[in-house]
Amino acid sequence: MTRFDSAKAIYARFGVDVEAALTAAADTAISIHCWQGDDVVGFDNPDGGAGNGIQTTGNYPGRARNFEELKADLLQALALIPGKKRINLHACYAVFGDGEWVDRNRLEYKHFAPWVAFAKEHHLGIDFNPTVFSHPMMKDGLSLSSPDEQVRRFWIEHCIACRRIAQRIGEELGDRVLNNVWIPDGYKDTPADRLGPRLRLKDSLDEIFAEQLPNVIDSVESKVFAVGVESYTVGSNEFYMSYAATHPGVYNLLDNGHYHPTEVVSDKIPALLPFFDVIPLHVTRGVRWDSDHVVVLDDELKEIMKEIVRNDALGKVRIGLDFFDASINRVAAWVIGTRNAQKALLMALLQPHTMLKQLQDNGDFTRRLMLLEECKTLPFGDVWEEYCRRQGVPTDERWYDSVMNYEATVLTQR
Ligand code: RNT
Ligand code: ZN
């Protein structure tokens, strides 16, 4: 009997169908953010770097500097990650021809056609994001909420351009593309007007979302705090949640690094499910109040995946990743974070949810606690190994050798 067979028998005791779990894991797409590969710099202003609303720290060698390098690094990472994948692009990753450049409000589908070709070749879905940071049109830290009409107009045009690009990408791939609007707008110190910026943001969003685009799923991403805007964030959770609730077809994207440290996204998912047919997610790791650390297999990640699985919401929640660490090997960061998301997903699929729910409804809380705890030490590792084997990716830590080899032969030569 193999270890996998023995694991299967143990899970069967709890009424868990391991084969069904493996199939569901393989069918669930995770949207992998391209921006981990180059510290969110993008291709449209490579000398500028990330800034004006976003920050990366670290200078590990080998950052991807262009489309070719980013594609190569992504492929290196993807080869070590099991499961179905999408790639999540930002508008600043526009691919320009020789000598060509247009500003963000003039971007067109053709600037992303090379990404679509790449996605088709490697059977990847695509998601998209306007890039509302790292740009001189950010004025006094504001974009879509700016009192400067020219600034606001520029970013509205950019977001409209992005929705149209997302629509076309969706048409090309025969798919629906999540187009997520995140803006860093806020104030470092005590505002004198908290409503004005929000009213302007609401007007901007109304204009941006006016056009019906069937291949686009629209989302707005809320945030509580960021370094530099400690006192006030225009796009707060209440603001965007209310916007989404009153604008069918627009969803509030939950980034689990964007809440107070004791607030959890795992509890927000079942709070939204009665009201929304789509819940876009950014899975990340907050440290204190900051977001964007590489995803590890911690309790909250496991709990998030459990809420998705036990509420039968795999078809509603759009799982995307969002982390960037410039202080470690970037390909390894991608692989570690994404494998962890996959692990948590598979783990959630292997829980005896029916049994546990029944215990809760019967008021048998002692047994519920006992079973929840016993489940933590079921032989998950053996099932994960089998999953990786079937997916044709390394089953254990040996994937790391391949990344180190890539670092020695490719990354350090840059
Ligand atoms: C920032 C947001 C946002 C970005 C990406 C690059 O706090 O989480 O999602 O990380 O758009
Ligand atoms: Zn995010």
Side-chain angles (χ1 to χ4, degrees):
M1 199 190 219
T2 65
R3 286 175 59 153
F4 175 62
D5 288 332
S6 135
K8 239 168 132 169
I10 295 170
Y11 277 107
R13 276 200 343 242
F14 294 87
V16 173
D17 181 345
V18 171
E19 288 299 334
L22 289 172
T23 306
D27 283 347
T28 304
I30 292 197
S31 194
I32 302 173
H33 56 311
C34 76
W35 52 90
Q36 161 57 47
D38 77 330
D39 313 338
V40 212
V41 174
F43 309 147
D44 65 346
N45 177 23
D47 305 326
N52 267 322
I54 205 145
Q55 233 180 358
T56 45
T57 49
N59 56 355
Y60 198 85
R63 184 182 79 77
R65 295 162 301 181
N66 52 50
F67 184 44
E68 293 308 317
E69 290 180 354
L70 190 57
K71 274 192 301 184
D73 294 0
L74 249 174
L75 287 178
Q76 173 65 33
L78 295 182
L80 304 171
I81 298 167
K84 199 164 158 183
K85 297 143 193 135
R86 304 173 66 82
I87 45 171
N88 202 357
L89 303 178
H90 243 282
C92 62
Y93 294 85
V95 182
F96 295 119
D98 262 351
E100 189 199 3
W101 181 84
V102 296
D103 212 343
R104 296 210 184 133
N105 59 338
R106 300 275 171 265
L107 285 170
E108 292 173 46
Y109 170 72
K110 67 173 182 197
H111 302 119
F112 296 90
W115 277 112
V116 171
F118 173 74
K120 280 185 180 161
E121 188 184 342
H122 299 282
H123 310 289
L124 303 162
I126 292 184
D127 293 304
F128 203 66
N129 303 260
T131 308
V132 190
F133 49 76
S134 311
H135 192 282
M137 275 305 257
M138 295 298 301
K139 196 177 162 198
D140 299 329
L142 304 179
S143 60
L144 291 175
S145 72
S146 175
D148 181 329
E149 211 28 48
Q150 227 186 322
V151 168
R152 209 170 66 90
R153 193 55 37 205
F154 176 84
W155 291 113
I156 291 172
E157 285 172 12
H158 172 57
C159 289
I160 290 175
C162 287
R163 284 188 80 232
R164 292 182 179 158
I165 291 164
Q167 168 64 23
R168 181 73 191 278
I169 293 173
E171 287 167 13
E172 295 291 331
L173 296 177
D175 195 10
R176 293 184 81 204
V177 171
L178 181 75
N179 185 60
N180 174 52
V181 177
W182 174 73
I183 60 167
D185 296 29
Y187 289 118
K188 183 174 184 69
D189 221 329
T190 317
D193 176 12
R194 294 171 190 271
L195 176 60
R198 290 184 172 136
L199 289 172
R200 289 190 291 271
L201 175 55
K202 179 172 176 286
D203 277 354
S204 301
L205 296 177
D206 288 348
E207 271 194 63
I208 291 166
F209 298 128
E211 193 176 357
Q212 292 293 317
L213 298 172
N215 294 71
V216 177
I217 299 173
D218 288 298
S219 67
V220 283
E221 180 180 1
S222 67
K223 191 162 178 173
V224 65
F225 151 92
V227 173
V229 290
E230 293 84 358
S231 299
Y232 170 74
T233 297
V234 184
S236 62
N237 190 50
E238 289 71 17
F239 176 85
Y240 281 139
M241 194 67 82
S242 308
Y243 192 90
T246 50
H247 294 76
V250 181
Y251 301 93
N252 184 24
L253 181 145
L254 308 176
D255 178 313
N256 68 306
H258 287 189
Y259 298 90
H260 289 289
T262 57
E263 223 182 323
V264 284
V265 159
S266 51
D267 188 58
K268 296 182 191 299
I269 294 167
L272 296 191
L273 279 172
F275 304 99
F276 294 96
D277 59 344
V278 175
I279 300 179
L281 277 194
H282 273 182
V283 175
T284 184
R285 175 165 51 106
V287 173
R288 303 195 190 277
W289 276 271
D290 198 18
S291 57
D292 303 322
H293 285 68
V294 177
V295 167
V296 298
L297 191 58
D298 57 15
D299 283 349
E300 175 55 5
L301 176 66
K302 292 181 203 165
E303 210 57 30
I304 286 173
M305 295 301 181
K306 273 197 246 173
E307 288 301 332
I308 299 172
V309 170
R310 62 161 68 121
N311 297 315
D312 209 9
L314 282 169
K316 293 180 180 169
V317 178
R318 314 268 306 198
I319 307 170
L321 305 176
D322 183 15
F323 52 80
F324 33 98
D325 189 338
S327 73
I328 59 175
N329 180 300
R330 294 171 186 80
V331 175
W334 255 325
V335 179
I336 293 168
T338 315
R339 278 175 74 109
N340 280 331
Q342 296 280 2
K343 277 184 188 168
L345 174 66
L346 182 58
M347 242 176 212
L349 287 160
L350 292 166
Q351 296 287 304
H353 298 295
T354 316
M355 217 181 248
L356 284 161
K357 274 184 197 178
Q358 232 160 40
L359 293 175
Q360 174 166 318
D361 291 345
N362 292 343
D364 197 346
F365 305 140
T366 314
R367 200 178 178 87
R368 181 185 64 182
L369 180 61
M370 178 282 292
L371 193 54
L372 278 170
E373 289 307 297
E374 288 302 319
C375 286
K376 289 182 179 171
T377 46
L378 290 176
F380 169 75
D382 297 330
V383 183
W384 168 254
E385 199 169 309
E386 174 67 9
Y387 181 58
C388 288
R389 200 187 57 71
R390 290 188 192 181
Q391 290 279 319
V393 303
T395 55
D396 55 21
E397 80 291 346
R398 271 169 288 188
W399 63 261
Y400 191 69
D401 297 343
S402 130
V403 175
M404 284 302 109
N405 182 41
Y406 187 71
E407 175 170 303
T409 53
V410 179
L411 298 177
T412 51
Q413 310 302 314
R414 288 182 182 158

